[in-house]
Amino acid sequence: MWRPALLGLLLLCGALVWFTPSKPAALPPEERRRRALADFRRGAFPEALAEARGAALAWKDRPDAEWFREFRLLEAEILLEQGQSARALELLDAGAGAENPRFGIRRRTLRARLYLRQSEFEKASTLLAEAADLPAGEDVADLRSETDLLRGQLLGRQNRMEDAERAYRRARQEALRAGDSFRQAAAANGLGMIRTRRWQWDEALPFFHEALRIWRALEADHFIVGADNNLGMCYSHLGEFDKAMDYRQEALRLVKPSARLAEVLGETGSLYMLQDQAANAIPYYRRALAASRQFGVPAETARWAGNLTSALLAVRDWAEAERINNEALHSKPDSRSRAFLELNAAAIAKGRGRVDEAQRIYQKVIASDPGSPPAVWASYARLGSLFLASGDTQKANSNFEQAIRIIEQSRSDLNRSDLKITFLASLIRFYQDYVDALMEQNAPARALEVADSSRARILAERLSLKLDTAGAGPGREFRDVARRSNSVWLSYWIAPRRSFLWVVTPREIRHFVLPPGSEIAKYVGQYREWIEKSLRDPLRESEAGRWLSATLIGPAQSLIPAGSRVTLLPDGPLHQLNFETLPVFEGRPHYWIEDVTAAIAPSFSVFLENGSARSVLPPSALVIGDPVAEPGYPRLSSAAAEIAGVAARFPNPATKVLAGAAAQPGAYAEARPGRFPIIHIAAHAEANPQSPLDSAVILSPGAEGFKLYARDVLNVPLKADLVTISACRSSGARTYAGEGLVGFAWAFLQVGAHSVIAGLWDVADQSTSLLMDRLYEQIGAGRRPAEALRSAKLSLIRGEYGRPYYWAPFQTYTREP
């Protein structure tokens, strides 16, 4: 018995026969279906629609016939893609009272897709459940993957990612068994989308490339557009904008007028916005907004209207921004979309000088309780800024404090570390405004407390550290941290208008005003270039080094006795700077490392009530590295000797070495790293600038590939005194506001390591091996990681590797007092 197939994401793969003129009546229905299918897949909707309607007319005298229903469903599918929902629903409802199981399943899945597009999840779920309850004989077996594909979409939209993953995998297996490459591609595309929702952009790429390869082979242009769009999105988030634009351009070239057009245009606009090119984004957002209206996608209409307004605000086109935003507000958006459109309206009112109106709008959003904490805290924060500008510091502080309260509550509700980080990064402007206001009001202790609250809160939450320190005032608490850690703390705060430094000792807190962030960033960039690229000596020639030394440590110098331990809390561009390299010209010119033992900490908060004892594990080590070479990652010439040298420093039988082919990503967790006080990794590393938890150490290929991701590290608790990542750029890839440099150093600290040694820039193989050997010599002698690393560096400074390029990339990151 022949079994007709659904179209689009619900279609069986049929042979592609391009349209050629002939008399429709002379063609058998199977041939007409194949022609319509080919036209639909390549986006030729008028031709596909004409073929489906013409074929249905041939069966109009037999409305109960399978072929009549097949072509009516095909017509409904095409109309849905063109945004003609009302006519599509008429076709789907026709003949519903006398349907067989096959027609019933197909009709319900098509309706479910329409409701899913309109974000009516409950209706879509009900229809899919009804389809599943219909008799499932062999004649409907081919529909199982179709319903699983749609179920995966629904579950993904409901943030039920594990259930969605299972649905897509079932659909993929069913398609492979049936030899249906089209639905295999649809399932791969869905699996890629699940990874994008988890911010796993590089892991999504293979799935989207698989879908693109199959759809290109089928010449299914309409679906090629979808894969291109998804690949463009991934490469955008990975910072590969040129590659993202290549896929966007192909999508723009192939896309036809349909519901997909708005997405392709809008995402192209977002690609420009990611690069701070609002003027280039505006025309694409305009076209996306028009397309979403034309093809009846209400949720997308609000989205692109909001994005277009934001782009217009960026270029200060207040009048046009107001017009677009008002149109969106009158289109009956849902409560959350409305809240953000209201925030746009307030920003427009403020920009046009209508401050009282802006104030009323922010108060309205707060009172409406839109179910969107970000909209509420943003309203409080912007109200605070308005009151601050008017000189009412009491109301300003009250609103800022309300914003902080909601921020902390909202951040605790998020489940994933990477989303928490991004959430916090979006708040930095608010924190900058409030810190600046408190300093203006001569409240430096409270300003330091607010600044510190924006730092490593996620680390503290993951480690279940107690942060409620009611009792003593913040100044006393911070001084107590300095006393217990026996160090001077330098806490930096970098902001656009002016920056700050707080120096905390057991006896006092002093604060200093520093230049704007842009000026500091300029000199940090110049100094990094000097050290990394030119390999010149900063003690002789670097103007940037002199400026940074005088600006960043000069004001605090009288509070830091020679030989002190210093704990640094960098901010913004300072995460890219190794303070130890700064030149000191008092007396004999030397590097600051000769005066102090420096380490980097996440925040004061981690130390306030949470000192932690060093490991009591037996002195053993887990040593991983010298992996099999992969394309683009040549074998490190000194890695084998480095691994052997580290292992020799820990002769305990419990020491475990994973080298060569055994150094696979999966082997890390299998080795039970929580039982080792020392963990050492010697391999290449790959930094991910846009998604730091997708930064990876390059190991030998295994069942799960050849990359050990920072996010994988988050799944394995540790008790290690020290984790060393002897790799290029292993400390992280991107500086997130409030969280610092995120990557492997952050991940290992988060799961329990007391200290992490990791690198800021590409390192020389031979000098690294020598540095590591001397580091572990000092560790074996009982020195703490920061002291041991300093001693090893000083030994290199006095030898042939004396310039900072060789010894300075490695830094100690710590959470121990």
Side-chain angles (χ1 to χ4, degrees):
M1 177 180 177
W2 172 77
R3 297 175 299 202
L6 286 180
L7 297 177
L9 292 181
L10 311 176
L11 279 172
L12 268 173
C13 176
L16 298 181
V17 179
W18 298 108
F19 177 83
T20 53
S22 60
K23 294 180 181 181
L27 293 174
E30 293 93 338
E31 180 68 12
R32 303 197 73 173
R33 180 184 65 85
R34 285 194 292 269
R35 287 167 48 147
L37 173 59
D39 286 336
F40 180 86
R41 288 180 175 175
R42 66 186 176 90
F45 300 125
E47 293 89 337
L49 195 60
E51 190 69 58
R53 285 173 172 168
L57 286 174
W59 294 84
K60 65 180 180 179
D61 296 331
R62 297 178 56 189
D64 293 333
E66 290 293 326
W67 279 116
F68 180 80
R69 289 177 170 176
E70 166 65 16
F71 287 116
R72 279 294 183 247
L73 286 173
L74 190 158
E75 182 181 350
E77 175 85 10
I78 299 166
L79 291 170
L80 281 177
E81 198 63 25
Q82 291 185 300
Q84 300 182 44
S85 305
R87 175 56 180 154
L89 283 173
E90 290 178 14
L91 293 171
L92 292 175
D93 288 340
E99 61 188 13
N100 60 32
R102 183 178 189 84
F103 182 82
I105 292 172
R106 298 178 63 196
R107 187 175 64 82
R108 285 170 173 80
T109 52
L110 279 171
R111 286 183 66 103
R113 189 198 302 182
L114 171 62
Y115 289 131
L116 180 59
R117 182 174 293 167
Q118 296 175 338
S119 299
E120 297 188 49
F121 300 145
E122 187 173 344
K123 289 182 179 180
S125 182
T126 298
L127 286 165
L128 289 176
E130 289 177 5
D133 288 340
L134 291 175
E138 185 169 340
D139 62 330
V140 296
D142 62 310
L143 300 182
R144 290 172 183 159
S145 63
E146 296 169 354
T147 54
D148 274 331
L149 284 168
L150 199 56
R151 189 173 289 111
Q153 294 177 51
L154 172 62
L155 293 167
R157 293 282 300 277
Q158 294 175 313
N159 292 320
R160 296 168 58 185
M161 298 306 170
E162 292 184 2
D163 292 336
E165 174 102 7
R166 284 191 287 269
Y168 281 127
R169 289 198 179 279
R170 283 195 306 271
R172 195 184 195 195
Q173 291 169 357
E174 291 155 357
L176 286 168
R177 278 197 298 268
D180 184 349
S181 59
F182 185 88
R183 286 190 296 174
Q184 176 191 340
N189 190 73
L191 289 167
M193 290 305 300
I194 294 300
R195 277 144 186 82
T196 66
R197 290 177 180 271
R198 292 170 173 161
W199 290 57
Q200 298 170 339
W201 307 108
D202 62 339
E203 292 185 23
L205 288 173
F207 292 108
F208 291 141
H209 279 297
E210 177 184 341
L212 182 61
R213 174 181 55 79
I214 294 172
W215 282 330
R216 278 177 173 168
L218 296 174
E219 300 183 57
D221 287 0
H222 183 58
F223 299 95
I224 290 172
V225 168
D228 278 335
N229 206 42
N230 292 335
L231 285 164
M233 173 178 60
C234 288
Y235 283 117
S236 295
H237 283 282
L238 294 172
E240 298 186 46
F241 297 123
D242 290 343
K243 190 172 291 187
M245 186 57 76
D246 288 342
Y247 286 104
R248 292 269 182 249
Q249 291 299 328
E250 182 180 42
L252 289 168
R253 179 172 56 83
L254 294 177
V255 70
K256 301 294 194 300
S258 67
R260 182 162 288 167
L261 177 61
E263 183 181 5
V264 174
L265 291 166
E267 292 295 349
T268 305
S270 295
L271 175 57
Y272 283 114
M273 286 295 285
L274 280 170
Q275 300 173 79
D276 296 321
Q277 299 178 26
N280 290 333
I282 287 171
Y284 288 100
Y285 282 149
R286 285 191 190 281
R287 294 169 61 194
L289 178 58
S292 65
R293 288 169 174 164
Q294 178 183 354
F295 297 106
V297 191
E300 292 294 286
T301 299
R303 176 188 178 190
W304 302 126
N307 285 6
L308 174 56
T309 302
S310 296
L312 291 166
L313 287 172
V315 299
R316 304 176 70 83
D317 188 344
W318 311 115
E320 182 66 0
E322 190 164 30
R323 184 183 72 79
I324 295 295
N325 206 60
N326 285 340
E327 287 181 6
L329 282 167
H330 287 96
S331 67
K332 299 181 180 180
D334 61 46
S335 60
R336 293 194 177 197
S337 297
R338 173 172 287 277
F340 285 100
L341 291 170
E342 293 281 11
L343 290 180
N344 281 342
I348 293 165
K350 180 185 176 185
R352 306 194 80 174
R354 306 195 301 261
V355 177
D356 290 345
E357 179 184 340
Q359 182 177 318
R360 287 194 299 272
I361 294 172
Y362 290 135
Q363 291 169 337
K364 174 184 173 183
V365 173
I366 293 168
S368 70
D369 189 19
S372 174
V376 177
W377 74 251
S379 296
Y380 275 120
R382 294 175 190 179
L383 266 177
S385 295
L386 290 178
F387 284 122
L388 187 64
S390 69
D392 192 336
T393 56
Q394 184 176 355
K395 286 185 178 179
N397 290 352
S398 175
N399 280 279
F400 283 142
E401 292 295 334
Q402 283 281 59
I404 285 180
R405 180 181 60 80
I406 295 171
I407 287 165
E408 296 302 322
Q409 292 173 350
S410 303
R411 198 163 48 188
S412 297
D413 290 340
L414 294 171
N415 294 322
R416 297 204 313 280
S417 298
D418 50 358
L419 287 185
K420 289 182 180 182
I421 298 167
T422 308
F423 177 74
L424 186 58
S426 69
L427 311 181
I428 193 61
R429 184 56 186 268
F430 154 67
Y431 278 112
Q432 289 171 341
D433 287 345
Y434 191 26
V435 167
D436 196 78
L438 289 167
M439 294 298 288
E440 196 73 37
Q441 298 168 45
N442 196 29
R446 177 56 182 154
L448 174 57
E449 189 177 27
V450 170
D452 197 69
S453 75
S454 76
R455 299 186 190 272
R457 297 286 300 184
I458 299 165
L459 174 60
E461 289 166 6
R462 183 60 182 258
L463 295 173
S464 299
L465 300 177
K466 181 181 175 184
L467 297 179
D468 182 9
T469 55
R476 180 176 174 182
E477 290 167 352
F478 294 147
R479 294 196 304 272
D480 185 58
V481 170
R483 178 188 57 78
R484 288 194 294 113
S485 62
N486 189 29
S487 67
V488 177
W489 286 61
L490 303 184
S491 178
Y492 293 89
W493 184 253
I494 308 302
R497 189 170 79 90
R498 56 179 180 169
S499 304
F500 301 102
L501 162 63
W502 292 271
V503 182
V504 181
T505 74
R507 291 181 298 277
E508 63 179 321
I509 299 177
R510 298 270 298 276
H511 65 274
F512 303 91
V513 178
L514 302 182
S518 59
E519 189 173 0
I520 292 173
K522 179 186 72 173
Y523 283 109
V524 169
Q526 290 177 4
Y527 195 53
R528 279 284 299 265
E529 182 83 11
W530 187 279
I531 290 175
E532 286 187 63
K533 303 294 173 60
S534 72
L535 272 68
R536 286 181 284 181
D537 184 357
L539 296 180
R540 296 185 178 181
E541 308 172 63
S542 174
E543 178 187 348
R546 284 179 177 270
W547 188 92
L548 290 168
S549 181
T551 302
L552 300 178
I553 61 176
Q557 199 64 55
S558 63
L559 300 171
I560 309 174
S564 295
R565 293 177 63 187
V566 175
T567 304
L568 297 160
L569 298 179
D571 187 37
L574 298 184
H575 283 288
Q576 301 289 343
L577 173 68
N578 185 333
F579 281 71
E580 297 170 318
T581 68
L582 293 178
V584 178
F585 294 102
E586 293 181 6
R588 174 185 58 84
H590 59 280
Y591 300 109
W592 198 43
I593 189 175
E594 297 188 40
D595 294 339
V596 300
T597 300
I600 297 168
S603 70
F604 279 104
S605 304
V606 172
F607 289 80
L608 285 174
E609 294 290 336
N610 297 284
S612 53
R614 299 188 74 191
S615 173
V616 295
L617 297 170
S620 60
L622 172 62
V623 189
I624 306 173
D626 188 28
V628 175
E630 285 292 314
Y633 304 100
R635 203 154 192 170
L636 296 170
S637 60
S638 299
E642 180 180 324
I643 287 175
V646 174
R649 295 287 183 186
F650 301 93
N652 189 306
T655 291
K656 186 174 183 64
V657 176
L658 297 169
Q664 299 178 9
Y668 170 74
E670 292 171 2
R672 295 185 293 130
R675 61 196 175 102
F676 296 97
I678 301 293
I679 298 173
H680 184 92
I681 302 174
H684 285 291
E686 181 178 78
N688 188 320
Q690 301 297 319
S691 183
L693 294 184
D694 287 320
S695 298
V697 165
I698 308 303
L699 298 177
S700 296
E704 300 177 358
F706 59 90
K707 295 180 179 180
L708 175 66
Y709 290 97
R711 65 176 67 255
D712 297 332
V713 168
L714 294 175
N715 298 322
V716 186
L718 298 178
K719 298 179 181 177
D721 286 328
L722 173 63
V723 175
T724 300
I725 310 124
S726 177
C728 309
R729 302 190 187 279
S730 50
S731 60
R734 180 183 182 186
T735 301
Y736 276 95
E739 288 303 325
L741 205 59
V742 182
F744 277 97
W746 186 92
F748 280 114
L749 284 174
Q750 189 175 0
V751 293
H754 290 262
S755 295
V756 177
I757 291 175
L760 278 176
W761 58 74
D762 295 345
V763 287
D765 198 10
Q766 292 181 339
S767 61
T768 297
S769 294
L770 179 60
L771 180 70
M772 292 301 155
D773 182 64
R774 294 179 180 177
L775 164 70
Y776 287 110
E777 179 183 29
Q778 296 297 312
I779 293 288
R783 287 195 166 186
R784 287 192 159 191
E787 297 165 345
L789 181 60
R790 175 177 181 263
S791 179
K793 289 179 175 180
L794 290 174
S795 71
L796 263 65
I797 290 173
R798 300 183 186 110
E800 62 178 308
Y801 296 114
R803 294 191 177 180
Y805 169 79
Y806 298 104
W807 54 264
F810 292 101
Q811 298 194 110
T812 304
Y813 300 80
T814 185
R815 67 178 185 90
E816 64 179 13

